[in-house]
Structures are given as structure tokens and as C-alpha cells.
Amino acid sequence: MADDIKLKFGLQRNRSYLNRDFGDFRGELLRYANVYFKDKIQDFSEASMGGLFLDMAAYVGDTMSFYLDHQFRELSPNTVTETANLESMIRNAGLKIRGDSPASVMVNFYIEIPAVQDNVTGEIIPDPDSIPKIKDGARLVSSNGINFYLTETLDFTEKTPNGKYAAQVTPILNSAGSVTSFVYMLQGLTVSGTIATEEFVISSSFVPFRTIKLTNQHVSAVLRVYDSEGNDYHQVESLSQDTVFRKNKLSNGDTSIEVINTPFRYTMDTSIGDRTSTIRFGSGDGSNITDVKIPNPSDMALPLYGKETFSKVSLDPNHLLRSTSLGISPTGTTITVVYRHGGGSNHNVDADSINEIQEIEYSFFQAANYNKTQNIKASLAVSNPKEATGGSAAPTLLELKNFVTSARSMQNRVVTTDDLLARIYTLPTEFGVVHRANVLPNPENSLSSILYVISQNSLGELVPCSDALKRNLSTYLNEFRLIGDAMDILDAHVLNFQIRINCRFTHTVNKYELISKIISEVKKLYTKEKIALGKPIVVSEIRSVVQNLTGVISVVDIELINVSGTIENRSYSSTKKNLSEILDNDVYFIDPYEIFELRFPNNDIIVTVI
Amino acid sequence: MAIENRLQTRKEYSFKAVGLSKRETSKPTERALRPVIGIKTPMTLSSSDGIFSMHRDVGDQISDNLRNLILTNHGERLGFYDFGANIRPLVFSLGSDDADMVAIERIGVAVGKYMPFVTLDNFQVLIDRFDNKEVAKVGIVITYLIPAVDKLTRKLEVILYVGG
């Protein structure tokens, strides 16, 4: 075989400007000296003086190469080794460094309310004057000594729109069969950790971007920051964010979301080294808050009055920094910080291990009888039906490195559909939960889109989102949308359906058992987690599942039928559609604003054995 | 002196009587024509070899290198921690059989690794018992051969200052 000329005579320089070590440098220097200074010196063996000089030069090159490589390595989150550089990358990527994470768990709160006779109807009802509220911040302790704090106020008096108590109410009967009292049960979210309060005396001298360092490590949440004048400071992601969301409880029980302006704000950073946290305030002069919030640049700009020429004027950027546009820096006050700290995997306590109540605060009606309230307090019991989850050790440096790469694609605005859906699904749950959403262009207006949303009720059925949720969604998304984006929020259409399966079984099989198995397996295909707006139903998937069950000889026919309205006390969505018209090559296609729901699988999967 | 012949007009010169012109004497000598090998130590400035005085004889260069190898201790050479015979830790004990054996072994290992073309022949320790008032001195005398160069047995004497 002929030689490859190109390979033989072509340029085959194997150059490497990085990763050169002592041996590479020495070899290269030796080659150079032998080529160009052969007549001056020949002995470069290790034992010779020439070799010694060569070694020194190679050593310098090796050292410089090492630091050059090191500098390059420090530029990438995948290869960075110095903690300070990694910390800087993490902050640039917008990631929050955290310490040990706390665990959270829903805890059942049981109280016994005495029964009274309704003056009007004569019914035995819970004494309405004795029903309390349990305020947030109640401290519970698990059997292994971990503190859990209640994060929300539990209002046992709260009623649903249909007039029933939101709490689960169970009557207690005496031996004679008459109701003596009622046990109320409400679930509340609790979070593990320890709540600490620290005070910081702030001098009267103005310091822009003043920082205060919290004593305890692993701060999981700052609950409140306020000064001695009563100003509440709000946590923001960056000091340029001048608004925060605030939740408001409406008179009808709904929670609305509101955007409020907050000149008193701070950011919190956690050190990667010791996992202590630092609070950083803004640059505005707190003693001068009544002044204009953003200075007029012309006040400090060019002195042009009565002049046609002017010299170069130096501007002091500190004048701009003293504005409140980046928040207030407190002066001459005392800052109080209430925060929760601590966490770790040992906080993931077992089910039924949170039984002890350490601190709790009730709120009763004025009319409540003192003795009754004492009895009700004494009746309080707590228990966690499930184990606590979420407690974990602080992320290691390696884990943080991995987060940096993925965090770089995050952004604090909505540009793409994925951004929008991510925002919708991360709406804080207290403002409502959107189960599924989809965005479509508006056929009426090319400059706007339509956001179709669907929610779930307490039974897990797909229902239209409440108006309150849509309003909250609108307020929430408005903070992230681009200025030209317009969006209509509409309800998605729920298509309830029945699956009718005709099949043949072997003679030996227990038909009822096999039918039950078919229903069980087909049900798994259409659980709440697997459905989405616009997602079609592929008949062959059902056929495959049924056919693969032992005892099924053949699947003769599978048909989907739309069901709507009320059938045998089962309430379906009102959407009607002839599904045979949307069947195409074994696939039922629906519009992107529609969603299939197998609402009552035990009734809506009908198996007929031929 | 030329001898005149009467019959013919010719002159005869003896090569023995002919001297060398100035131009001829300024030609490089044979020694100077030999290529330079390496830097001579201790380093000195040179007017003829370039910046430093240089060895032009392979044997001399190897002897020079061998002396430096024996005088170097571990950790002294940049980039080669184990370069050298590492004799200094033994200077207080040289003269005893055990220390001499260790020294011989160390020299053998160092030469074997860094100057394998040298064949060591004999090892001798000198204790200077007279000129040792201020700083005691210990000498090592090594005889060796460089078979690739010639068949000469060479001798190297190095003085180690005890505690100095």
C-alpha cells in the first residue's frame, strides 16, 4: 500500500501551549540548545553545569505553566478548585448558597370543642364561641428532640364556600349515644430548625451597603427583619428589586397576591466556607428617607447657567449611590433579625414522632368561656401521619459546581413558553395551584397569547381555576413578563371519557379477576400525573397493556366515549365532543387547549368479554 | 641560511631553519580546535572560550561532573531531589567502617543513576589530622575509569568540611 504523502510530509506539528511540565520544557530547551548552540556547549547531562542551567529554566517554565493552567482551570465551574472563585461563580450564576436544609412535614392538630344546642334549629353543634385559632410559630418537638415550627395560622373557625368547616369534624358520643363534643382536625405545615433572634445596634454614621453577620450557621430562613422605628425590611434577590409580593387574606377566605414597593430591603448571602449568613442592606441614606428617592441627575450635573462654554466636571458616583434606588441603609437604629437555622438529614423524623407541644399561642373569641378555653387547650394533640422530608446536609463543593452549570440557563423573566410554564408551576401554593397550563397564539390578536390553565379540586378532579387564582396568576406573571407581552388567561376544556374494551379471554381464567386486573392496569396509563393539555390518547397503548395480561386471547375492539354532565351521581365536566371524529390512525387527537381526564376509572373503564 | 651552488643559480633551504610567520602562528592550535563540551567548575570568566571557561576534553568534563555529583546532597538540586551522593550527613562518621560502607553505597547509587558510564574503582577516606584547627576536614579519594573515553584510571579527591 502506497504511503500517505500528506501524512508523511504534511504539517504534523503537535503543539501544546498548556499542560507542559518540567520534562516537556527541559526536552524542548535541550533540543533548542543542541540545534542553535552546539558549538558553544554540548554537555547538558543532569550532572553538568549546563544541565543545571537547563533545569532551572525548565523549572521556571513549569511553574509558570502550572499557574497558567491553574488560571484557566479557575475560569470554568467544572474545573475550579479555589473556594473563593467557586463562590464568586455561584453568586454570578444567581445561585443561593445554603447550609443544612430543614425538614418539613404536615402535622395534624386535634382539638376537642364542647357541643352546644343551636338556639334556632335545636341541633347539637360545636360551641362556635369556643373554636380557637392556633397562631403560626407554635413549637413542636419530635421524639428525637428536633424542633418543628408551625408556619401558618390554623383557623379552626374557617368555613368552606358551602358553609362547612374547613377542619375535619368528628362528633364524640357518650355511652347514651348523644353527642358531647366534637374533635376538630386541621393540618398545618411545620418546618424543623431553631428560631433565633439577634439585635444589631447600628451607628449613626452612614455606610452604604451596610452588612450584618448572623451568629448561627445554616440559616434556612429569615423570618423578619425590623428596626427600632418599626420599619420592616423585606428580603429581595438583588438590591435592584424594589418590589416584593405580599399575600393578603380576603374576606371570602381567598388569598390574594399584591405587589408592594419596598425601600427597606436586603439581600442575604451565605458563606461557602463556614455557612454563616450575612445580611446586606441598600445604599440609600436611611436618615433622609423623606427626600426624593432617585436624585435628579441635573442637580449634580453640568453648571451651564449663563455659560456658553464649560470645563470638564468630575462627578462623584457616591451621590447617585446615596439614593434609595437600591434600598435604604439603616443608620442610628437597632436592627432585629428573627431567623430559623439548622437542618440536616436527622431532621427527617419518622411518622407519628412529633407529639410534644413546647410553645403554642391560641386566639379565642372574646365571648369564649375561660374554663372551656382551658379545657380546649388541654385537649390539643398533635401527630405527623407521614415522615418529615427535605432535611439534608449543606450541598458540598462538588454539588455546588454542578448547580452552576444548570443555573446559568435560569433567568428572572419570561421569554419562552418554558419560562412561562416554569413560572406558573412555581407560583407559591398559598396563592393557588395550577395543575396544567399551555400557551397558544391568540388567533384574534397576533400580539398576544392565550394561557390555558386547569386546576384540581380537593378530590383530585380537574376543575376550572378560580377567579382568585387567575388574578393572582396575572399579578404574579406581570412582574416577569416582557413589556410587549400580552396574555389572556382562559380555562382549559376538560374532556372526560370512558374506555370500552371488548376482548376474549381463555376459558380457564377467572373473568372477574382478569377484568379487575385490566381496569387496574389501564388506570395506570391515565393517572393525574400523566395527562397534559393537548396530549392525545394512543389506543395501541391500551391494547398493548390489555393484550399482555395473562388470560387475554385477543383485544377485539377499544373505543373511547366522551361523558359529560351527571351520570349515576358521578359529576363530569360539561364539555361535549364526538371522539370518533378526532380518531385518526388509532390516535385520539385533541386541541391544545383540551385535556383528557379519566375521572372515575373504576366506572369509566368498561371491559366486555366476548 | 641558504647554501650557494656555483654551477647553478639555485638556493637551498633547510626546513629546520625556516621559522613560522606571524600569520601562521596565529592559527588555532589543535587543542583550541576541539569543540567545547561544557562549563568548567568552579565557574570562571574566560576570554577565549566565551563567557565562561569551558572543558574541551570529555574526560575532564566527566571528572568535573563526578566531583559535583559527589559534593551535592539530596534536596540541593532544583527539580531532582535525589540528585547527589548525599555524603554530608555522613561527614561526622566517615572513617568508621559502617559510615564508609554507606558512603560507598550512596556514591555507587548516585553514579549508577546519573553517570552510569563511569566505573568506580577504589574508595578511600582521608582524615586531615593536622590542618583541622578551625574546621575539621574529611577527604574522599575515589579512583575510577571512563571506559568509553580511555583506559586511564583517574583519581578524584574531594574535601568535605565537617560542621562547616
Side-chain angles (χ1 to χ4, degrees):
Chain A
M1 188 175 172
D3 286 346
D4 187 339
I5 299 297
K6 283 185 180 176
L7 195 66
K8 203 168 181 179
F9 298 107
L11 291 175
Q12 293 182 51
R13 291 174 185 152
N14 186 18
R15 282 183 179 147
S16 170
Y17 296 102
L18 297 175
N19 297 322
R20 307 191 72 168
D21 58 12
F22 181 83
D24 291 339
F25 276 110
R26 196 178 193 283
E28 193 64 18
L29 285 168
L30 181 61
R31 187 194 64 78
Y32 189 83
N34 281 335
V35 169
Y36 296 103
F37 301 103
K38 187 77 173 174
D39 56 332
K40 300 285 189 294
I41 184 168
Q42 295 181 34
D43 185 10
F44 290 105
S45 63
E46 287 91 345
S48 70
M49 187 57 68
L52 187 141
F53 285 155
L54 217 57
D55 291 347
M56 287 178 70
Y59 181 80
V60 171
D62 184 28
T63 306
M64 292 177 71
S65 175
F66 170 79
Y67 282 105
L68 192 64
D69 289 351
H70 182 68
Q71 297 298 330
F72 270 97
R73 279 200 302 272
E74 292 301 301
L75 294 176
S76 164
N78 298 321
T79 52
V80 63
T81 53
E82 289 190 23
T83 310
N85 290 338
L86 176 60
E87 189 167 1
S88 170
M89 281 181 193
I90 289 167
R91 296 201 197 291
N92 286 340
L95 271 173
K96 289 285 180 191
I97 299 166
R98 60 175 177 81
D100 293 345
S101 296
S104 62
V105 65
M106 297 298 287
V107 171
N108 293 348
F109 287 74
Y110 302 91
I111 53 166
E112 190 175 352
I113 306 293
V116 292
Q117 192 167 30
D118 191 331
N119 292 333
V120 181
T121 62
E123 279 183 80
I124 301 296
I125 57 167
D127 183 358
D129 294 336
S130 304
I131 304 175
K133 289 179 186 175
I134 294 177
K135 293 190 174 178
D136 58 340
R139 182 160 72 95
L140 315 176
V141 181
S142 68
S143 53
N144 62 346
I146 304 294
N147 289 326
F148 280 82
Y149 289 90
L150 181 63
T151 60
E152 55 195 336
T153 296
L154 297 181
D155 186 358
F156 287 91
T157 64
E158 186 182 354
K159 290 187 175 179
T160 58
N162 59 15
K164 292 182 177 176
Y165 282 106
Q168 186 182 313
V169 182
T170 311
I172 305 294
L173 308 176
N174 61 11
S175 55
S178 53
V179 176
T180 56
S181 60
F182 294 85
V183 171
Y184 277 53
M185 191 280 284
L186 265 184
Q187 280 198 324
L189 180 66
T190 59
V191 177
S192 70
T194 305
I195 290 181
T197 302
E198 279 188 60
E199 287 190 349
F200 299 87
V201 178
I202 307 294
S203 68
S204 56
S205 61
F206 168 66
V207 178
F209 303 113
R210 188 188 289 275
T211 58
I212 54 177
K213 189 173 182 182
L214 304 178
T215 310
N216 293 297
Q217 297 170 298
H218 306 291
V219 174
S220 56
V222 174
L223 304 175
R224 195 181 170 203
V225 178
Y226 58 97
D227 60 21
S228 46
E229 282 72 43
N231 297 312
D232 266 303
Y233 290 71
H234 300 285
Q235 186 172 0
V236 289
E237 273 200 8
S238 66
L239 289 171
S240 59
Q241 288 183 358
D242 54 358
T243 55
V244 290
F245 293 109
R246 185 169 68 184
K247 64 175 178 180
N248 289 325
K249 200 80 175 172
L250 302 178
S251 55
N252 62 359
D254 287 341
T255 306
S256 77
I257 189 170
E258 184 188 3
V259 180
I260 59 165
N261 188 25
T262 172
F264 298 96
R265 56 185 183 266
Y266 65 90
T267 59
M268 192 180 77
D269 293 322
T270 301
S271 159
I272 205 169
D274 58 3
R275 308 287 170 149
T276 54
S277 296
T278 303
I279 287 177
R280 181 186 300 276
F281 297 97
S283 61
D285 190 347
S287 63
N288 211 8
I289 183 68
T290 52
D291 284 358
V292 216
K293 285 184 177 172
I294 300 172
N296 184 357
S298 65
D299 291 346
M300 61 184 76
L302 309 175
L304 277 172
Y305 304 112
K307 294 182 181 176
E308 290 185 353
T309 61
F310 58 91
S311 61
K312 289 179 182 174
V313 178
S314 301
L315 289 177
D316 182 3
N318 285 324
H319 286 301
L320 291 167
L321 281 180
R322 287 177 83 95
S323 79
T324 57
S325 56
L326 290 175
I328 297 296
S329 176
T331 52
T333 186
T334 301
I335 294 283
T336 305
V337 183
V338 185
Y339 60 95
R340 186 172 54 235
H341 65 95
S345 53
N346 64 328
H347 286 216
N348 295 331
V349 299
D350 293 335
D352 294 323
S353 64
I354 303 174
N355 303 113
E356 189 182 335
I357 302 156
Q358 281 287 336
E359 295 166 18
I360 197 158
E361 197 178 343
Y362 298 88
S363 167
F364 282 95
F365 288 111
Q366 287 287 336
N369 176 280
Y370 176 76
N371 291 331
K372 280 186 181 179
T373 61
Q374 295 308 303
N375 290 336
I376 290 168
K377 286 179 182 178
S379 73
L380 179 69
V382 294
S383 143
N384 56 315
K386 291 184 178 175
E387 72 276 10
T389 55
S392 64
T396 61
L397 288 181
L398 188 64
E399 287 169 328
L400 287 169
K401 274 186 189 179
N402 294 331
F403 292 157
V404 172
T405 318
S406 57
R408 283 188 169 161
S409 58
M410 293 196 305
Q411 54 184 353
N412 196 21
R413 58 184 176 163
V414 168
V415 179
T416 64
T417 305
D418 288 342
D419 294 340
L420 178 68
L421 294 179
R423 281 290 163 196
I424 292 168
Y425 292 137
T426 54
L427 175 75
T429 52
E430 60 216 64
F431 301 116
V433 176
V434 174
H435 182 66
R436 290 288 183 269
N438 202 1
V439 192
L440 297 173
N442 189 340
E444 309 288 329
N445 180 358
S446 60
L447 297 176
S448 75
S449 307
I450 301 177
L451 171 64
Y452 287 98
V453 289
I454 197 79
S455 187
Q456 275 186 324
N457 64 12
S458 58
L459 300 172
E461 297 165 354
L462 296 184
V463 290
C465 294
S466 67
D467 289 343
L469 172 56
K470 284 179 200 159
R471 270 197 304 274
N472 290 341
L473 205 55
S474 166
T475 313
Y476 182 66
L477 292 178
N478 196 39
E479 289 299 301
F480 302 105
R481 73 182 177 92
L482 298 183
I483 194 166
D485 289 350
M487 209 174 296
D488 297 323
I489 303 176
L490 299 180
D491 289 316
H493 297 183
V494 179
L495 279 175
N496 293 127
F497 63 99
Q498 284 184 341
I499 305 173
R500 296 183 179 177
I501 304 168
N502 294 332
C503 51
R504 285 197 173 89
F505 292 172
T506 57
H507 292 293
T508 53
V509 79
N510 182 331
K511 287 180 183 173
Y512 297 106
E513 197 176 304
L514 188 53
I515 287 172
S516 170
K517 205 167 183 178
I518 288 173
I519 292 172
S520 165
E521 290 300 314
V522 173
K523 194 196 295 184
K524 289 178 190 170
L525 291 175
Y526 304 107
T527 56
K528 296 288 182 293
E529 295 76 31
K530 291 181 179 172
I531 56 175
L533 281 165
K535 185 178 178 182
I537 286 182
V538 182
V539 176
S540 55
E541 279 183 357
I542 307 171
R543 182 174 285 115
S544 170
V545 165
V546 178
Q547 186 73 66
N548 285 333
L549 291 173
T550 310
V552 177
I553 295 175
S554 67
V555 180
V556 179
D557 184 35
I558 295 175
E559 189 184 12
L560 263 63
I561 306 289
N562 174 225
V563 282
S564 62
T566 303
I567 300 172
E568 296 171 355
N569 292 327
R570 298 192 303 275
S571 179
Y572 294 97
S573 119
S574 58
T575 309
K576 291 181 179 176
K577 194 158 193 168
N578 186 351
L579 298 186
S580 61
E581 290 177 1
I582 59 170
L583 179 64
D584 183 12
N585 286 331
D586 236 17
V587 181
Y588 287 92
F589 289 101
I590 51 172
D591 289 317
Y593 54 83
E594 293 175 324
I595 184 167
F596 275 121
E597 182 197 22
L598 190 61
R599 184 166 287 188
F600 302 102
N602 292 334
N603 300 98
D604 292 335
I605 300 173
I606 300 165
V607 181
T608 307
V609 183
I610 299 172
Chain B
M1 180 68 73
I3 301 168
E4 290 188 4
N5 190 320
R6 291 179 182 175
L7 296 175
Q8 294 177 353
T9 312
R10 58 181 180 184
K11 292 182 179 177
E12 188 178 340
Y13 294 94
S14 168
F15 280 103
K16 291 176 182 173
V18 178
L20 292 173
S21 68
K22 187 179 178 185
R23 187 176 162 201
E24 285 171 324
T25 54
S26 65
K27 285 181 181 174
T29 60
E30 184 193 354
R31 181 186 173 281
L33 282 170
R34 287 155 63 189
V36 292
I37 306 292
I39 300 167
K40 190 184 285 184
T41 59
M43 291 169 67
T44 52
L45 291 174
S46 166
S47 58
S48 58
D49 287 336
I51 300 173
F52 304 116
S53 301
M54 307 293 282
H55 284 294
R56 291 176 185 271
D57 178 75
V58 176
D60 292 348
Q61 178 68 60
I62 291 173
S63 299
D64 201 346
N65 291 352
L66 180 62
R67 179 167 46 81
N68 287 330
L69 179 70
I70 291 168
L71 284 172
T72 306
N73 300 293
H74 285 179
E76 290 178 352
R77 177 68 177 271
L78 196 65
F80 294 98
Y81 171 78
D82 64 341
F83 184 84
N86 201 28
I87 299 297
R88 179 179 287 276
L90 301 173
V91 290
F92 287 101
S93 315
L94 280 176
S96 68
D97 288 348
D98 290 347
D100 290 352
M101 287 301 114
V102 174
I104 289 168
E105 186 189 346
R106 288 185 182 186
I107 292 169
V109 169
V111 170
K113 182 169 183 182
Y114 291 102
M115 301 182 74
F117 39 85
V118 171
T119 305
L120 296 170
D121 182 35
N122 197 15
F123 177 86
Q124 190 181 350
V125 175
L126 301 173
I127 308 292
D128 192 334
R129 301 192 187 282
F130 302 100
D131 185 17
N132 62 358
K133 294 285 191 306
E134 285 77 23
V135 182
K137 288 187 280 190
V138 178
I140 294 175
V141 180
I142 295 168
T143 54
Y144 61 96
L145 293 94
I146 310 170
V149 177
D150 52 32
K151 293 179 180 176
L152 295 176
T153 298
R154 296 160 197 263
K155 184 178 176 184
L156 172 68
E157 180 177 322
V158 294
I159 300 295
L160 302 163
Y161 292 91
V162 179

